[in-house]
C-alpha cells in the first residue's frame, strides 16, 4: 500500500504557464515533505521541502503548499521553463518511519516551448 | 562540491551471476540509503543505514540481496544470484539527519541489466 501517491504519471504545460504537481499521503504522522527533480541518466536532486508546521514554502519559481487536513501537498512552478522538464518525486518522512524517506512514483513534467 | 559516487555506472550480467554495487557517501553524512527505480514502482526503498548500523532492510528480498557498510566511506549492495526482474537503476543516497528534516543527496545510479 503506497503511503505517498502521485496520481498523475505525466503532465504537459506550455512554457511560461504554471505547472502544478500534486501529491497525496496516507500517514498523518508524516511531518516533513520534500520534492526531488530527476533528469534522465542522473540521480534525483533535492528541490524544495516543507515542514508540517508550515503550509507554504517558496524558493524562487518553486512553491510547495501543504494541506495537512487533506493530506495533500502540491508543487507550483511559475513560470515554467523547458529546462524544468523532468520527473518530479514527492517524498515524506516522520511518522515512525525512523527517518527514512518514502517516495511517490513520480510525475513526468514536459514543458513545451 | 561533495557528491555521492557509485560504481559501476552500468552493469550487464547473466542470470545467476553475483552483482556487487558500491557507493561512497558524502563525508560526514550519517545516513545511507539504497533505492531501486523501476517503471512500475518508482523509487523503492531497499535498505538504509544510520551511523553504519542497518535500520531497515524490509524492502529487500532477503534471500538474494544483502547490504553492508564495512566502513563510513563505503556502502555495498550485493545480489546473489541475480535474476532478470532485478533489472533496474539502483541509487545510493546519503544525508544528514537534522532535527526531523532529512534531505538526501543521490548518486548517479547503477543501471543493472540481468539477461
Amino acid at each position: 500500500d503506497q503511503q505517498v501517491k502521485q496520481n498523475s504519471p505525466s503532465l504537459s504545460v506550455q512554457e511560461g504557464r504554471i505547472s502544478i504537481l500534486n501529491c497525496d499521503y496516507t500517514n498523518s504522522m508524516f511531518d516533513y515533505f520534500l520534492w526531488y527533480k530527476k533528469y534522465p541518466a542522473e540521480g534525483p536532486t533535492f528541490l524544495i521541502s516543507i515542514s508540517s508546521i508550515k503550509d507554504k514554502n517558496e524558493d524562487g519559481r518553486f512553491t510547495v503548499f501543504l494541506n495537512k487536513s487533506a493530506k495533500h501537498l502540491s508543487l507550483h512552478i511559475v513560470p515554467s521553463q523547458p529546462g524544468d522538464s523532468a520527473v518530479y518525486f514527492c517524498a515524506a518522512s516522520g511518522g515512525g518511519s525512523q527517518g527514512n524517506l518514502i517516495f511517490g512514483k513520480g510525475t513526468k513534467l514536459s514543458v513545451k516551448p | 562540491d561533495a557528491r555521492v559516487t557509485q560504481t559501476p555506472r552500468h552493469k550487464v550480467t547473466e542470470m545467476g551471476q553475483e552483482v556487487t554495487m558500491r557507493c561512497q557517501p558524502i563525508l560526514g553524512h550519517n545516513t545511507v540509503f539504497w533505492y531501486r527505480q523501476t517503471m512500475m514502482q518508482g523509487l523503492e526503498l531497499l535498505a538504509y543505514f544510520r551511523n553504519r548500523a542497518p535500520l531497515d532492510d524490509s524492502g529487500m528480498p532477503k534471500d538474494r540481496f544483502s547490504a553492508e557498510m564495512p566502513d563510513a566511506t563505503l556502502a555495498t549492495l550485493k545480489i546473489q544470484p541475480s535474476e532478470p526482474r532485478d533489472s533496474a537503476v539502483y541509487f545510493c543516497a546519503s544525508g544528514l539527519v537534522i532535527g526531523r528534516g532529512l534531505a538526501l543527496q543521490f548518486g548517479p545510479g547503477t543501471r543493472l541489466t540481468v539477461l
Side-chain angles (χ1 to χ4, degrees), chain A residues 27-113:
Chain A
N27 189 338
S28 58
M29 298 298 289
F30 283 146
D31 56 12
Y32 195 66
F33 304 89
L34 306 90
W35 285 94
Y36 280 79
K37 179 167 73 172
K38 185 185 179 303
Y39 293 118
E42 295 182 12
T45 56
F46 170 73
L47 188 58
I48 192 169
S49 64
I50 188 167
S51 164
S52 61
I53 62 174
K54 295 186 173 183
D55 54 20
K56 177 183 174 181
N57 188 25
E58 193 172 348
D59 183 2
R61 296 185 298 113
F62 302 91
T63 303
V64 57
F65 295 92
L66 175 62
N67 182 335
K68 289 189 290 292
S69 61
K71 296 193 188 70
H72 177 84
L73 66 154
S74 60
L75 174 68
H76 292 211
I77 307 172
V78 54
S80 303
Q81 299 173 354
D84 297 329
S85 298
V87 177
Y88 289 78
F89 289 97
C90 170
S93 74
S97 63
Q98 298 188 72
N100 80 36
L101 279 184
I102 309 294
F103 282 85
K105 292 188 179 182
T107 297
K108 184 176 182 179
L109 173 66
S110 299
V111 181
K112 303 199 181 305

Side-chain angles (χ1 to χ4, degrees), chain A residues 31 36 98-99 101 105, chain B residues 35 40 48 50 100 102 104:
Chain A
D31 56 12
Y36 280 79
Q98 298 188 72
L101 279 184
K105 292 188 179 182
Chain B
Y35 285 93
M40 296 301 293
Y48 82 103
R50 182 175 298 168
R100 289 190 176 273
L102 171 67
L104 294 178

Side-chain angles (χ1 to χ4, degrees), chain B residues 6-45:
Chain B
Q6 289 186 248
T7 56
R9 292 294 311 275
H10 302 272
K11 177 72 176 179
V12 180
T13 191
E14 292 188 346
M15 181 174 63
Q17 296 298 304
E18 177 179 301
V19 175
T20 298
M21 290 169 270
R22 293 177 174 80
C23 167
Q24 183 172 6
I26 291 173
L27 193 64
H29 282 185
N30 63 349
T31 57
V32 175
F33 292 72
W34 283 104
Y35 285 93
R36 174 170 64 182
Q37 184 186 16
T38 62
M39 291 296 291
M40 296 301 293
Q41 297 296 328
L43 278 172
E44 183 185 12
L45 177 67

Side-chain angles (χ1 to χ4, degrees), chain B residues 29-80:
Chain B
H29 282 185
N30 63 349
T31 57
V32 175
F33 292 72
W34 283 104
Y35 285 93
R36 174 170 64 182
Q37 184 186 16
T38 62
M39 291 296 291
M40 296 301 293
Q41 297 296 328
L43 278 172
E44 183 185 12
L45 177 67
L46 296 175
Y48 82 103
F49 297 79
R50 182 175 298 168
N51 298 320
R52 292 179 54 204
L55 280 193
D56 185 356
D57 61 1
S58 58
M60 268 187 347
K62 299 285 193 312
D63 56 338
R64 299 184 301 107
F65 284 61
S66 62
E68 295 179 350
M69 272 201 81
D71 61 62
T73 64
L74 177 65
T76 62
L77 180 66
K78 189 176 295 186
I79 308 174
Q80 168 64 19

